[in-house]
């Protein structure tokens, strides 16, 4: 389907986020200072409230050492920790700082979606893939804090496959979602209503709401999950 997404220029943007001091959050600094525990990736992260977040985090190291560290750090908040072969996953609440709040604002307030996982690379940098139009991407990255360097590594054409969230939608759901994006329903402030979207696609506003709630449930469950590269020369944004 070419449709609206083609005209809007949807792309996968591979970005490296580099915090000035090597850490986005004190939790990461404490990981680096703990022998036998390593940062690997962030698979899911979102704000529950302004003062509380939830994350699905991957750690490396010996399980006993990781477990002792996590219990020291997050025992009061409650957590789930489990090893799958040689991979260790942590699901926990956490207290966000201003840097983390600002980074999560990118996906909460703009038409930008994360394609997880976010993987740690050299010196604590985080490699992140966003799905967005060029306009949305530029607006979103403009709010990233000054103490985090943004380097665009590749910009890739959008092509749904079995790993991409949109490929899981029905044709009608995709049309509704694309229309909602184009009309600004997911903008901040919101630029469209259910009725606006309904007029565009020819269905009732209440029905639009029902469909969008189902789409959003799928999005929360999966979040957009590698097409050909358009640019391979990293550039600072």
């Amino acid at each position: 389907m070419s449709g609206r997404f083609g005209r809007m220029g949807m792309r996968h943007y591979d970005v490296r986020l580099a915090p000035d001091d090597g850490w986005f959050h004190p939790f990461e600094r404490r990981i680096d200072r703990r022998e036998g525990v390593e940062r690997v990736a962030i698979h899911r992260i979102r704000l529950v409230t302004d003062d509380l977040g939830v994350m699905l985090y991957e750690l490396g190291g010996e399980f006993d050492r990781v477990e002792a560290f996590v219990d020291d750090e997050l025992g009061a908040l409650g957590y789930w920790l489990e090893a799958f072969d040689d991979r260790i996953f942590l699901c926990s609440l956490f207290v966000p700082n201003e840097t983390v709040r600002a980074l999560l604002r990118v996906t909460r307030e703009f038409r930008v979606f994360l394609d997880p996982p976010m993987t740690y690379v050299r010196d604590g940098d985080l490699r992140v893939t966003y799905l967005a139009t060029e306009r949305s991407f530029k607006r979103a990255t403009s709010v990233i804090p000054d103490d985090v360097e943004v380097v665009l590594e590749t910009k890739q054409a959008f092509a749904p496959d079995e790993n991409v969230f949109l490929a899981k939608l029905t044709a009608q759901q995709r049309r509704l979602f694309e229309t909602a994006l184009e009309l600004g329903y997911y903008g901040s402030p919101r630029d469209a209503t259910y009725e606006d979207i309904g007029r565009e696609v020819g269905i009732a506003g209440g029905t639009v709401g029902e469909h969008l709630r189902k789409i959003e449930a799928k999005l929360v469950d999966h979040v957009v999950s590698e097409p050909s590269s358009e640019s391979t020369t990293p550039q600072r944004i």
Side-chain angles (χ1 to χ4, degrees):
M1 175 177 180
S2 56
R4 301 174 189 274
F5 265 59
R7 295 198 298 274
M8 292 172 66
M10 293 296 290
R11 295 288 186 270
H12 283 275
Y13 293 89
D14 294 321
V15 171
R16 192 174 73 247
L17 302 178
D20 287 349
D21 59 6
W23 306 285
F24 298 94
H25 189 279
F27 178 71
E28 297 166 317
R29 179 173 56 197
R30 292 192 288 270
I31 291 174
D32 289 350
R33 292 178 175 176
R34 189 71 166 246
E35 185 178 352
V37 183
E38 300 174 354
R39 303 185 250 170
V40 177
I42 302 172
H43 291 266
R44 297 288 188 274
I45 185 168
R46 67 180 177 86
L47 292 176
V48 178
T49 68
D50 285 341
D51 300 317
L52 198 64
V54 63
M55 62 181 175
L56 178 61
Y57 207 95
E58 184 175 353
L59 293 161
E62 297 177 10
F63 186 83
D64 290 347
R65 289 175 180 260
V66 172
E67 185 175 36
F69 168 77
V70 169
D71 197 56
D72 288 344
E73 291 290 325
L74 302 169
L77 291 172
Y79 64 86
W80 166 86
L81 185 72
E82 191 161 344
F84 297 88
D85 297 324
D86 59 346
R87 303 175 70 186
I88 302 173
F89 289 87
L90 162 70
C91 182
S92 178
L93 296 171
F94 72 97
V95 178
N97 60 0
E98 287 304 319
T99 300
V100 170
R101 287 192 193 95
L103 291 172
L104 293 179
R105 181 185 170 203
V106 168
T107 55
R108 188 172 67 173
E109 299 185 11
F110 299 91
R111 286 172 272 180
V112 172
F113 300 93
L114 279 173
D115 184 2
M118 296 172 276
T119 55
Y120 287 103
V121 291
R122 61 165 186 82
D123 300 327
D125 292 0
L126 196 61
R127 180 167 286 122
V128 179
T129 299
Y130 294 114
L131 174 65
T133 64
E134 188 155 356
R135 179 184 177 190
S136 293
F137 177 75
K138 288 180 178 178
R139 290 179 61 201
T141 52
S142 71
V143 305
I144 289 178
D146 292 339
D147 60 351
V148 177
E149 182 182 30
V150 184
V151 179
L152 176 62
E153 296 189 322
T154 63
K155 181 173 67 174
Q156 303 173 331
F158 173 78
D161 59 31
E162 63 182 1
N163 295 317
V164 177
F165 161 72
L166 295 178
K168 295 181 176 291
L169 304 181
T170 66
Q172 184 183 44
Q173 286 176 332
R174 283 198 302 272
R175 185 183 177 207
L176 278 169
F177 188 56
E178 292 167 5
T179 303
L181 282 171
E182 187 175 47
L183 294 180
Y185 176 76
Y186 291 105
S188 180
R190 188 165 281 170
D191 293 327
T193 65
Y194 291 158
E195 287 69 28
D196 295 330
I197 299 167
R199 281 193 293 271
E200 186 74 11
V201 299
I203 63 177
T207 304
V208 169
E210 293 174 5
H211 283 297
L212 287 181
R213 284 189 290 274
K214 291 178 181 178
I215 293 168
E216 290 156 4
K218 289 184 179 182
L219 183 60
V220 170
D221 182 60
H222 181 78
V223 193
V224 285
S225 135
E226 210 152 75
S228 59
S229 173
E230 294 182 0
S231 171
T232 56
T233 304
Q235 62 184 77
R236 289 178 177 81
I237 298 174

